[in-house]
Amino acid sequence: MTSLTASSPDLVVRVSGLVKRYKQHLAVKGLDFTVNRGEIYGLIGPDGAGKSSVMKALAGVLQYEGGSAEVFGTVVDSEQAAENVKRRIGFLPQGLGLNLYPELSVEENIDFFAKLRLVPEAELRERKGRLLAITRLDRFRGRLMKQLSGGMKQKLGLICTLIHEPELAILDEPTTGVDPVSRRDFWAILAEWQSAKGMTAIVSTAYMDEAARFHRLSFLSHGRMLASGTPAEVTALVPGLVVTFESTPQLEAVARLKRRYAQVESLGPSVHLFTPERDAHAAVAEIRAVLGDLPVGHLHTDEPELEDVVVALLLKEQDGQAGASEASVRPTRAGDRQQRDGLAVQARELVRDFDSFRAVDRVSFDVQQGEIFGLLGANGAGKTTIIKMLTGIVPPTGGEGRVAGADMRTAGGAIKERIGYMSQAFSLYLDLTVVENIRLFAGIYGLARRQAQQRMEWIVEMAGLSGYVHDRTGRLPMGVRQRLALGCALVHSPRVLFLDEPTSGVDPIGRRRFWELLSRLAREEGVAILITTHYLSEAEHCDRLALMYAGRIVAEGTPADLKTQVEQEVGQLLEIAVDRPGAALTHMMAAGFSGAALFGTKIHVLSRDPSRDEAHLREVLARVGHSVEAVRLRTLSLEDVFVSRVMALERAAQKEKHT
């Protein structure tokens, strides 16, 4: 055990030259960063970036081979060193509820961790009540942990991690696989604890849209630090503009633009493009010149998001090799496309009961061939049950549905022949090569040898697998493995494709390539795609969305329509940059801004009258000595839409219950 007395009193964590190796694999390659007291620090990156290794080393549960991990002035390099700092930290490991006890209730789990951490009984009552209230778990005190949804498990895990009020919380991917409402709850807890208790936190995540919530962050790629600093400092590393517009035909527009720009993607009916040009007029003029005779409409420019910057840095890191394996879908003959027009999925008043519990309650929707349809909902909302009914796995209690022209009640194997399914786990055989996996799936679906060979050639070309055909699947990068799984799901030319959380843990470039594939499959092949995802930023790619709550569809429409509806109902989003944001938030809420919330170093609040509310909040904050640096309108995200809808429904349900 080594003690370092030269550390600044405000320095909580110092990682210096950290190296972690698993046999021949170098997971962390000389990492350096520091975390100051009171910061919420983010480690961002896809699966395999090295985040969990760093978190475990800091928590004292993983040995490392080089460098040092220092916490509160102590280098954590032995069991004894870990014991010396353990009482001052809280560690939430990766995985839903892995630090909890399934046979204990919500309250019993909290009490157990409180006793383990020697929390006095009087303090326990106050802390427990406060944490249960902010997580909205107070109604579920007696429910067994094993009966909770994924989001509820993660919130309970966070309560148990914070119950002894640690000075440092080490939270390893706490929001992965968690529904958007629970994600918002998690960030509310963290912001309040940081503001009220002065807690420091290190949080790892694969969600790029969470990056703006951190005071400072490091983006990791293959065990190395790609970028580090405040969100504004990281964004400034790659200056440029994001231009969003509509052009038809969309795929032709994207193809032309890709010859000139490194970052071009389809977002529903729009094209999203990053340009290094800083002048908006010059940027738009150049885009129009590249598009030539193609029309441009609904155009607007904006500052780049962190994901745009990180993708640019990743492309630079790959030294221009990213385009070598770009996936492209071969154009289909007009006759093929014509056969794929029409209604692909039809659900009418679907009901599914499990004993006395109604999982799906009279759900109806349609999906056209060539359409990307997103099914969004909190954990337990009924999404997976709907997919199981439509694919013939689970019989409905009531209602009816047709998939690719087949009745889901009576079709049996006919439905399975007409659909493709890609699960979150990918369902590949990791010991087989790319070619062997494709041949195996072709055999499962009964393809003749010649047809199987043709489909294999199509999959390799479509998914950009030409450089990997003889590689073992288990050794493939996550993004490549994901594209192979998509190809295997398409080997039998299905008319409908079901995708369950398909991009979990994939880096931003891999996710963008995957969505390019989906867009081309829908537009060129006419494949109908039904997708569930927890990346609400990805839902922007969908042509239409259905939001589910408690087994029912509560909103449906295009992403733009859903945002407009919520804006009309609850107002526009104001972002406030102010000194001492935690204290400022307290004053704002006392002045009537009840929906205000910390968002990293900013405060977000919904407003029906932005001009009036800006003047009021400036007056309130000036009166108590706060300096407001800026107030600006931000576009509502789909997460804002989802959370607003679900929270309103929860309030209505509670009101109805008490009347």
Side-chain angles (χ1 to χ4, degrees):
M1 187 271 290
T2 307
S3 179
L4 299 182
T5 57
S7 295
S8 161
D10 289 329
L11 192 66
V12 174
V13 169
R14 186 204 304 273
V15 173
S16 304
L18 189 69
V19 175
K20 176 59 190 174
R21 181 179 283 104
Y22 297 93
K23 295 183 180 179
Q24 301 303 312
H25 174 61
L26 195 56
V28 182
K29 306 170 184 177
L31 205 62
D32 298 279
F33 68 89
T34 59
V35 181
N36 298 319
R37 191 174 303 279
E39 275 192 315
I40 299 179
Y41 195 97
L43 291 181
I44 303 177
D47 288 353
K51 305 186 302 297
S52 289
S53 296
V54 176
M55 306 292 268
K56 290 175 182 176
L58 289 171
V61 297
L62 182 72
Q63 295 293 311
Y64 48 90
E65 283 70 47
S68 64
E70 177 189 342
V71 179
F72 296 118
T74 295
V75 174
V76 184
D77 57 1
S78 66
E79 287 186 20
Q80 181 57 49
E83 284 297 324
N84 289 340
V85 297
K86 190 175 290 184
R87 62 183 175 80
R88 303 176 70 182
I89 68 173
F91 176 50
L92 182 65
Q94 185 178 346
L96 297 176
L98 288 188
N99 63 327
L100 302 174
Y101 293 87
E103 300 300 329
L104 297 183
S105 69
V106 167
E107 189 156 26
E108 287 168 342
N109 265 286
I110 298 171
D111 291 344
F112 173 79
F113 278 90
K115 288 177 182 175
L116 201 64
R117 293 293 196 164
L118 305 177
V119 178
E121 189 65 34
E123 293 180 21
L124 172 60
R125 282 195 298 274
E126 187 273 329
R127 291 180 198 173
K128 182 165 58 175
R130 187 178 181 190
L131 284 166
L132 284 169
I134 196 172
T135 55
R136 294 176 296 118
L137 289 177
D138 42 0
R139 293 179 290 122
F140 305 99
R141 288 173 179 254
R143 183 174 293 186
L144 295 182
M145 173 269 180
K146 65 181 181 182
Q147 296 172 344
L148 300 176
S149 70
M152 293 165 76
K153 287 177 183 175
Q154 203 66 334
K155 287 189 287 188
L156 176 58
L158 185 60
I159 290 175
C160 294
T161 302
L162 299 182
I163 196 64
H164 65 295
E165 294 191 351
E167 295 174 60
L168 170 65
I170 302 172
L171 311 173
D172 192 4
E173 299 212 15
T175 58
T176 296
V178 172
D179 67 85
V181 176
S182 294
R183 279 177 68 189
R184 187 69 62 97
D185 286 342
F186 162 80
W187 283 107
I189 299 165
L190 205 57
E192 178 170 325
W193 233 244
Q194 182 268 333
S195 174
K197 308 290 184 181
M199 184 183 72
T200 307
I202 305 178
V203 185
S204 66
T205 180
Y207 293 107
M208 283 303 304
D209 60 348
E210 291 187 334
R213 298 178 182 271
F214 297 114
H215 296 110
R216 289 191 301 134
L217 60 94
S218 292
F219 185 86
L220 307 186
S221 175
H222 301 101
R224 290 192 177 93
M225 187 180 294
L226 193 65
S228 186
T230 66
E233 288 169 347
V234 174
T235 302
L237 291 174
V238 184
L241 288 171
V242 167
V243 186
T244 306
F245 55 92
E246 293 183 13
S247 184
T248 53
Q250 187 189 62
L251 289 182
E252 174 61 24
V254 169
R256 292 186 188 184
L257 292 164
K258 275 185 171 288
R259 300 185 193 117
R260 169 66 181 84
Y261 300 98
Q263 291 193 55
V264 184
E265 60 175 338
S266 301
L267 279 179
S270 300
V271 176
H272 178 96
L273 178 150
F274 175 79
T275 171
E277 176 61 64
R278 290 290 299 153
D279 181 77
H281 293 293
V284 172
E286 187 173 7
I287 289 169
R288 290 185 185 277
V290 172
L291 288 173
D293 58 340
L294 298 183
V296 175
H298 300 95
L299 183 146
H300 66 271
T301 61
D302 205 346
E303 294 297 313
E305 299 288 342
L306 269 166
E307 181 165 322
D308 300 303
V309 171
V310 166
V311 168
L313 293 171
L314 284 168
L315 290 171
K316 185 178 179 181
E317 181 194 42
Q318 294 174 8
D319 197 28
Q321 296 177 2
S325 62
E326 277 292 338
S328 60
V329 177
R330 187 169 55 199
T332 56
R333 299 185 299 277
D336 292 342
R337 172 70 209 214
Q338 197 170 22
Q339 293 170 11
R340 292 177 178 266
D341 287 338
L343 198 60
V345 178
Q346 187 178 39
R348 289 289 176 269
E349 296 288 311
L350 284 180
V351 174
R352 175 64 198 192
D353 295 329
F354 293 95
D355 297 324
S356 60
F357 173 66
R358 177 151 291 185
V360 176
D361 188 8
R362 294 172 297 175
V363 164
S364 299
F365 63 88
D366 295 331
V367 183
Q368 300 291 325
Q369 290 292 165
E371 183 177 32
I372 303 175
F373 187 87
L375 205 55
L376 307 179
N379 294 327
K383 306 184 302 296
T384 300
T385 304
I386 287 173
I387 289 177
K388 287 180 176 179
M389 285 192 286
L390 290 172
T391 53
I393 297 172
V394 171
T397 304
E400 58 186 33
R402 299 185 69 82
V403 178
D407 189 318
M408 68 178 195
R409 286 181 177 271
T410 58
I415 281 185
K416 294 178 177 62
E417 293 170 5
R418 301 176 194 183
I419 67 170
Y421 176 68
M422 181 177 163
S423 69
Q424 189 173 353
F426 299 154
S427 303
L428 295 171
Y429 292 86
L430 301 184
D431 289 334
L432 301 182
T433 66
V434 167
V435 168
E436 288 168 343
N437 262 293
I438 298 172
R439 284 177 179 158
L440 174 64
F441 279 88
I444 290 172
Y445 283 105
L447 272 63
R449 179 172 296 184
R450 183 175 177 183
Q451 187 184 12
Q453 183 62 32
Q454 290 174 341
R455 291 301 291 174
M456 184 187 305
E457 293 170 2
W458 180 85
I459 290 167
V460 169
E461 179 186 350
M462 173 210 62
L465 299 172
S466 57
Y468 304 97
V469 288
H470 298 299
D471 291 358
R472 271 183 55 191
T473 300
R475 295 178 180 171
L476 295 175
M478 183 70 79
V480 177
R481 194 187 306 176
Q482 170 206 53
R483 300 201 302 268
L484 170 60
L486 177 64
C488 290
L490 293 166
V491 71
H492 57 303
S493 304
R495 291 170 56 185
V496 183
L497 184 61
F498 292 92
L499 304 173
D500 184 19
E501 303 280 342
T503 59
S504 182
V506 178
D507 67 82
I509 290 181
R511 291 207 307 273
R512 289 190 176 190
R513 287 183 184 167
F514 186 79
W515 275 101
E516 181 185 358
L517 286 179
L518 296 187
S519 179
R520 288 182 172 273
L521 283 167
R523 309 298 183 246
E524 292 185 346
E525 296 284 335
V527 177
I529 299 172
L530 183 71
I531 185 167
T532 69
T533 178
H534 276 307
Y535 289 98
L536 282 195
S537 59
E538 283 192 342
E540 301 278 2
H541 290 274
C542 297
D543 298 307
R544 285 190 305 124
L545 301 168
L547 303 185
M548 292 194 66
Y549 171 78
R552 293 177 286 122
I553 289 179
V554 296
E556 186 177 350
T558 67
D561 289 342
L562 294 175
K563 291 177 187 177
T564 301
Q565 291 168 18
V566 170
E567 249 185 25
Q568 291 171 348
E569 292 169 10
V570 298
Q572 296 175 277
L573 183 66
L574 284 177
E575 182 177 80
I576 302 103
V578 61
D579 66 324
R580 296 172 289 130
L585 176 65
T586 302
H587 293 298
M588 282 180 60
M589 295 184 75
F593 294 95
S594 58
L598 277 179
F599 198 89
T601 56
K602 308 288 195 304
I603 297 173
H604 281 189
V605 66
L606 289 167
S607 168
R608 292 182 180 275
D609 188 338
S611 298
R612 183 197 64 193
D613 285 342
E614 178 180 348
H616 181 42
L617 70 86
R618 283 182 180 275
E619 178 189 342
V620 166
L621 294 176
R623 205 161 49 227
V624 289
H626 284 283
S627 173
V628 177
E629 299 161 19
V631 178
R632 66 170 181 151
L633 284 171
R634 294 292 302 264
T635 303
L636 283 179
S637 68
L638 280 172
E639 181 173 312
D640 294 317
V641 171
F642 184 93
V643 172
S644 176
R645 289 284 190 191
V646 172
M647 294 294 286
L649 289 162
E650 286 188 354
R651 287 193 296 270
Q654 282 295 101
K655 186 176 180 181
E656 183 179 336
K657 187 176 179 180
H658 289 98
T659 56

